[in-house]
Amino acid sequence: DQQVKQNSPSLSVQEGRISILNCDYTNSMFDYFLWYKKYPAEGPTFLISISSIKDKNEDGRFTVFLNKSAKHLSLHIVPSQPGDSAVYFCAASARGGGATNKLIFGTGTLLAVQP
Amino acid sequence: EAQVTQNPRYLITVTGKKLTVTCSQNMNHEYMSWYRQDPGLGLRQIYYSMNVEVTDKGDVPEGYKVSRKEKRNFPLILESPSPNQTSLYFCASSFPPGQGAMTFFGQGTRLTVV
């Protein structure tokens, strides 16, 4: 079963507009959420994160929102730029040891920002 | 420069021929792991290691082995590769993820088993 879901495989946005990427999770034990960005032929790179004690975290053009009651988070990119075109992975982790001590990734959303 | 280095970047092999993908990190991270990326399935964890000589299965461990004899190295071993192991593989390292630590990824190894 997929504990972290990204239901939109792809998203196309015009340059300068807002990009909104969504992610849903099922495990209420998750307490930390991250977004990774991946360009072709490269490994994923960390973009932004949020702890479950917060509902918003902002870093420049990137903002992540967390709605714990809905088990939903979203990544907003404003304004979108062509260089933002990449696959975005949502990931979650839970405090504790053993099998829970790992990142669980979503399936990714391919963002295409059109000039 | 902080990095995770994995080799080779590309590999084509035949069914049953043992292979090793190496992974090394220079950040003194305790936690290392291997993922595979497949279309529509995202990144799935194969094995992880919480420290030297401590390894455990991830979500898709069948057909893989790992070892952690030194903190910096975490090789992935395919004793008898099969075509269903054709995939894009990533090595990753971090401080323990449960503490919300950032995970660093290698550049990936594209493996094709024919």
Side-chain angles (χ1 to χ4, degrees), chain A residues 32-88:
Chain A
Y32 207 80
F33 304 89
L34 307 92
W35 284 93
Y36 282 81
K37 177 178 179 180
K38 184 185 177 304
Y39 292 118
E42 294 184 13
T45 55
F46 171 77
L47 185 59
I48 192 170
S49 63
I50 188 167
S51 163
S52 60
I53 62 173
K54 295 185 176 182
D55 54 20
K56 177 182 174 181
N57 187 29
E58 192 172 350
D59 183 0
R61 297 186 296 114
F62 303 91
T63 303
V64 57
F65 296 92
L66 175 62
N67 182 334
K68 287 192 295 291
S69 61
K71 293 191 176 71
H72 177 83
L73 64 156
S74 60
L75 174 68
H76 293 211
I77 306 174
V78 183
S80 301
Q81 300 173 352
D84 296 329
S85 298
V87 175
Y88 289 78

Side-chain angles (χ1 to χ4, degrees), chain B residues 4 23 31-35 74 90-94 103-106:
Chain B
V4 178
C23 174
Y31 193 93
M32 296 185 74
S33 53
W34 278 100
Y35 291 85
F74 190 46
F90 291 101
C91 179
S93 77
S94 72
T103 298
F104 294 82
F105 286 86

Side-chain angles (χ1 to χ4, degrees), chain A residues 32 36 41 43 98 101-103, chain B residues 9 31 45 48 50 59 98 103 106:
Chain A
Y32 207 80
Y36 282 81
N101 198 23
K102 65 180 181 181
L103 284 177
Chain B
R9 292 290 310 276
Y31 193 93
Q45 193 184 59
Y48 66 96
M50 296 182 69
D59 297 316
T103 298

